[in-house]
Amino acid sequence: MCGIVGYIGSKDATPILIEGLRRLEYRGYDSAGVAVYNEGRVQVKKYKGRLDVLESRLRENPILGNLGIGHTRWATHGEPSDVNSHPQTSSGGDIAIVHNGIIENFMPLREWLCYEGYEFRSDTDTEVVAHLIDHFYEGDLVKAVIECMKRLKGSFALGIISSDEPDKLVAVRKDSPLIVGIGSGENFIASDIPAILNHTKRVYLLNDMEIAVLSREGVKILDHNGAPVQKEVFEVTWDVAAAEKGGYPHFMLKEMFEQPTALRQTLKSRLISENDDIILDMIRINKEDLDRVDKINIVACGTAYHAGVVGKHLIERLARIPVETDIASEFRYRDPILDKNSLVMVISQSGETADTLAAMREAKRKGARVIAVTNVVGSTVSREADDLLYTWAGPEIAVASTKAYTTQLLAMSLIALKLARIKGEIDEELYSSMREAIYRLPEQAQQVLEKAEEIKALSEEYKDVDKVFFIGRSLDHAVAMEGSLKLKEISYIFSEAYAAGELKHGTIALVEDGTLVFALATQDRLFEKSVSNMKEVKARGAHVIAVAKEGNREVEKVADRVIYIPDTLDLLTPVLTVIPLQLFAYYIAVARGCDVDKPRNLAKSVTVE
């Protein structure tokens, strides 16, 4: 969450900071600010609200300088306000910092600093860090930062400048993403690559407890003791156009329509027509390895968790390996039973999700082997996992995940099919039919997207509903959870997903005259049961929108409306079924006047617990 940008060079820092923060708006925020070194002092401008507020104030009273840090804050400690916004400063204003993450021991540190005579202006945990660095400052900013780090507990990415040392920008990372951009006569820090992509494609990916010391001339990387660290330069392979709207009104719509291309990228070089094997890049697992595995745990958060639920179905059905799915924020606190025979699979679009990282590290501590499925090359998850599969979805900017989810589903299909073949649990006929059906998915996804106008009209018809239920069985229930999440997170309509077979066990009491119900009925072996569930809610006055495979016209006798997806194997329907739900959520949110790309209270990358 939140966004950090920093600059040191010969150019005016403020426009670069604002541009970078603009490219990080997708991360979610409620205030914005900058600190720029100017005429012997650090000047700070920070305001509650959107970046436009800060930008307009800076037009009225510009700050000129070649060294600065900027921040978009998503409130954790202290309400959104001008005072609680970042940057935070030391008492004298000599030191300014921006911070992503949470300082877990800020209360005892605050009490101690108050005893030492420091006065606090804000309610933030971040101000503690500014005063702590000031307390240890004796003419060497880097040494003061190192002493400060020794006393901090929690997660933090920090950008720090001091009026006493205007020739350097110091950055630190622990459990919160931070990169260093390498320019010519200028250098940068940022929470994410898009913030600096207009200026450089050469970056350092900081590891935990590493310190970056930036000057105009270069960058030094140090460990937590101040010893030099040798880092490889990471070359970004995509350009800024990939992170722009390209004529679409919202990133979310653009990214939904990029799904056929993203799916092709996920398949590229993994399913090859002249080779009937499946090539899974950096997942190096053989039959001997699998024979030792007595269980797989799939761990993720939010949308990625829903992809994991689909993955559970696929792996158990095809590879016949028991699978548990866990929400990452609960996983390590239940003290999971793991050992060297355990295989843990973590899924994360960003590869920086705090709870998923913590779960992965707990699994590794207990001896489990970890496979990571992620979209972001060089992310923390990708660097720390034992095995790795990139989804290659490309940059995803909208907070509500779309193409990242469908490519995760495709990745899970490939993994399940590969494991099944390694185990010898799948016959050649099913294996071949699965491969052929997977090849067709990108084209079939395009066919579903061609129904966008139909779904738009449907969403406008129902834009005033106050609650929506999603029901389905088996894989349809897994997709229903994602459809419900998409709707609630961008339209703010209450929605919930239920296993259709559970309706009679209490849930059906919520259905009344006019209730909108999405009923997913794409599983051939459960089709008749799904139709029966539709009849149950219809009998209580519900309006039913069904999603079914082409050819299953029986559903029209029950549902008020039907959205058809192209026919495919039951196990692969989630990739197609979710697209109408994404489109419906998008169009109904637009019809209700919601900020689709930046929904309230949400952030793209959740980097705090």
Side-chain angles (χ1 to χ4, degrees):
M1 294 182 180
C2 311
I4 287 175
V5 181
Y7 173 78
I8 185 168
S10 57
K11 298 174 185 172
D12 188 5
T14 301
I16 294 171
L17 299 177
I18 295 296
E19 175 200 10
L21 294 178
R22 185 72 70 189
R23 294 188 181 280
L24 295 177
E25 282 191 293
Y26 67 89
R27 298 175 72 86
Y29 69 103
D30 46 47
S31 59
V34 297
V36 176
Y37 176 77
N38 174 253
E39 297 181 348
R41 65 190 181 97
V42 173
Q43 290 185 257
V44 176
K45 299 281 187 183
K46 54 179 187 168
Y47 303 98
K48 175 185 174 182
R50 289 296 186 191
L51 194 57
D52 293 339
V53 177
L54 172 65
E55 198 168 9
S56 66
R57 300 292 181 88
L58 285 168
R59 278 196 297 267
E60 295 168 4
N61 295 289
I63 312 174
L64 301 177
N66 310 125
L67 166 68
I69 49 177
H71 192 265
T72 47
R73 176 181 186 252
W74 191 88
T76 54
H77 295 63
E79 66 181 7
S81 69
D82 291 355
V83 172
N84 288 331
S85 303
H86 294 198
Q88 291 289 321
T89 62
S90 58
S91 298
D94 303 323
I95 295 170
I97 72 166
V98 288
H99 165 224
N100 290 351
I102 289 178
I103 306 302
E104 294 175 358
N105 61 333
F106 88 101
M107 280 301 294
L109 287 173
R110 184 180 176 122
E111 291 171 4
W112 176 71
L113 286 164
C114 286
Y115 177 79
E116 292 290 315
Y118 286 89
E119 294 183 3
F120 284 79
R121 296 180 290 266
S122 77
D123 300 316
T124 67
D125 55 338
T126 303
E127 192 179 359
V128 165
V129 184
H131 293 320
L132 200 58
I133 293 172
D134 180 75
H135 176 80
F136 290 113
Y137 187 73
E138 295 179 345
D140 189 323
L141 184 59
V142 174
K143 284 186 177 179
V145 169
I146 290 172
E147 289 302 314
C148 175
M149 289 169 61
K150 293 176 181 177
R151 289 154 178 85
L152 298 180
K153 295 180 181 177
S155 60
F156 48 86
L158 301 171
I160 308 138
I161 61 174
S162 170
S163 59
D164 290 331
E165 300 184 45
D167 59 344
K168 69 181 60 159
L169 165 60
V170 179
V172 176
R173 176 245 162 94
K174 178 182 180 291
D175 295 333
S176 196
L178 197 66
I179 63 166
V180 176
I182 308 162
S184 176
E186 59 185 4
N187 292 293
F188 312 79
I189 62 169
S191 301
D192 203 355
I193 289 169
I196 59 173
L197 205 50
N198 262 346
H199 305 280
T200 183
K201 290 188 176 184
R202 304 175 70 241
V203 301
Y204 287 132
L205 305 171
L206 294 184
N207 292 323
D208 276 355
M209 301 303 285
E210 287 184 339
I211 304 161
V213 184
L214 288 69
S215 65
R216 291 187 185 188
E217 292 74 28
V219 177
K220 295 178 182 177
I221 309 295
L222 311 174
D223 68 14
H224 65 283
N225 292 315
V229 174
Q230 297 299 315
K231 300 283 286 186
E232 288 187 12
V233 174
F234 177 78
E235 296 280 351
V236 181
T237 57
W238 46 278
D239 59 24
V240 73
E244 293 180 340
K245 291 179 185 175
Y248 287 88
H250 297 97
F251 280 111
M252 184 178 177
L253 186 63
K254 172 179 178 275
E255 288 156 9
M256 283 190 289
F257 275 85
E258 287 176 340
Q259 286 178 117
T261 299
L263 292 169
R264 291 187 184 96
Q265 285 298 114
T266 305
L267 292 179
K268 188 177 179 180
S269 77
R270 289 163 178 169
L271 281 187
I272 305 171
S273 56
E274 59 269 18
N275 181 349
D276 73 346
D277 197 7
I278 296 171
I279 301 164
L280 295 185
D281 303 349
M282 289 168 275
I283 297 181
R284 303 177 183 90
I285 198 163
N286 56 37
K287 190 172 189 306
E288 184 180 350
D289 296 329
L290 273 187
D291 286 343
R292 288 197 298 267
V293 171
D294 48 27
K295 178 185 64 175
I296 296 175
N297 290 82
I298 299 179
V299 183
C301 298
T303 286
Y305 171 75
H306 298 156
V309 175
V310 172
K312 169 186 169 68
H313 283 264
L314 293 169
I315 293 170
E316 288 191 338
R317 292 270 293 279
L318 294 173
R320 309 308 295 165
I321 303 171
V323 180
E324 291 183 13
T325 51
D326 278 273
I327 297 170
S329 58
E330 296 292 329
F331 180 69
R332 65 184 174 129
Y333 296 114
R334 71 173 176 86
D335 193 18
I337 301 170
L338 301 171
D339 58 27
K340 59 183 177 59
N341 295 322
S342 302
L343 183 61
V344 174
M345 193 176 301
V346 298
I347 309 173
S348 170
Q349 188 282 138
S350 68
E352 303 291 352
T353 311
D355 288 312
T356 305
L357 276 169
M360 178 178 76
R361 288 164 178 165
E362 176 68 5
K364 287 176 72 70
R365 188 184 69 80
K366 292 190 171 190
R369 180 171 180 170
V370 175
I371 295 175
V373 176
T374 186
N375 186 38
V376 179
V377 177
S379 59
T380 305
V381 160
S382 70
R383 299 201 303 271
E384 294 189 13
D386 299 301
D387 299 272
L388 174 64
L389 185 69
Y390 286 121
T391 55
W392 301 123
E396 188 179 69
I397 305 301
V399 167
S401 182
T402 53
K403 64 177 182 175
Y405 173 73
T406 47
T407 55
Q408 286 167 355
L409 295 181
L410 191 54
M412 298 310 294
S413 301
L414 294 173
I415 290 171
L417 202 54
K418 178 75 170 183
L419 296 184
R421 202 173 203 212
I422 292 172
K423 286 274 289 182
E425 294 286 349
I426 188 169
D427 62 58
E428 284 303 310
E429 183 179 354
L430 177 57
Y431 180 79
S432 296
S433 63
M434 285 283 292
R435 277 177 56 97
E436 290 171 11
I438 287 172
Y439 270 124
R440 291 195 297 270
L441 285 175
E443 179 184 347
Q444 291 178 318
Q446 183 62 49
Q447 293 169 20
V448 180
L449 287 165
E450 289 167 4
K451 300 177 183 289
E453 287 301 315
E454 170 193 338
I455 296 166
K456 180 180 179 181
L458 203 58
S459 66
E460 289 172 349
E461 183 178 336
Y462 288 101
K463 68 181 175 64
D464 294 322
V465 298
D466 58 3
K467 64 181 178 183
V468 181
F469 296 140
F470 292 76
I471 61 173
R473 289 172 175 266
S474 185
L475 284 168
D476 281 337
H477 176 232
V479 178
M481 291 193 291
E482 176 60 13
S484 174
L485 177 61
K486 281 294 144 299
L487 184 65
K488 69 181 73 168
E489 67 184 342
I490 63 170
S491 74
Y492 317 140
I493 296 170
F494 173 81
S495 67
E496 201 53 79
Y498 299 105
E502 283 290 293
L503 283 172
K504 292 183 286 294
H505 297 276
T507 304
I508 205 165
L510 296 170
V511 178
E512 57 189 354
D513 191 44
T515 299
L516 179 58
V517 176
F518 264 89
L520 311 187
T522 71
Q523 302 298 291
D524 291 342
R525 65 195 181 95
L526 297 168
F527 181 74
E528 292 179 357
K529 293 183 184 296
S530 297
V531 169
S532 295
N533 295 135
M534 291 183 218
K535 290 179 178 178
E536 287 175 343
V537 295
K538 283 287 292 180
R540 287 149 180 88
H543 288 263
V544 174
I545 300 174
V547 180
K549 290 182 188 176
E550 289 172 351
N552 284 337
R553 297 288 172 177
E554 285 296 308
V555 72
E556 294 178 12
K557 298 176 182 177
V558 183
D560 295 282
R561 301 290 182 85
V562 183
I563 302 170
Y564 288 105
I565 64 168
D567 191 17
T568 188
L569 298 178
D570 280 10
L571 291 175
L572 300 178
T573 56
V575 174
L576 306 178
T577 308
V578 75
I579 297 175
L581 309 187
Q582 295 171 345
L583 288 166
F584 183 83
Y586 170 79
Y587 284 119
I588 203 169
V590 170
R592 290 165 68 95
C594 300
D595 190 345
V596 175
D597 284 339
K598 300 186 284 291
R600 67 189 183 203
N601 302 330
L602 300 180
K604 181 65 178 173
S605 180
V606 183
T607 56
V608 296
E609 286 194 69

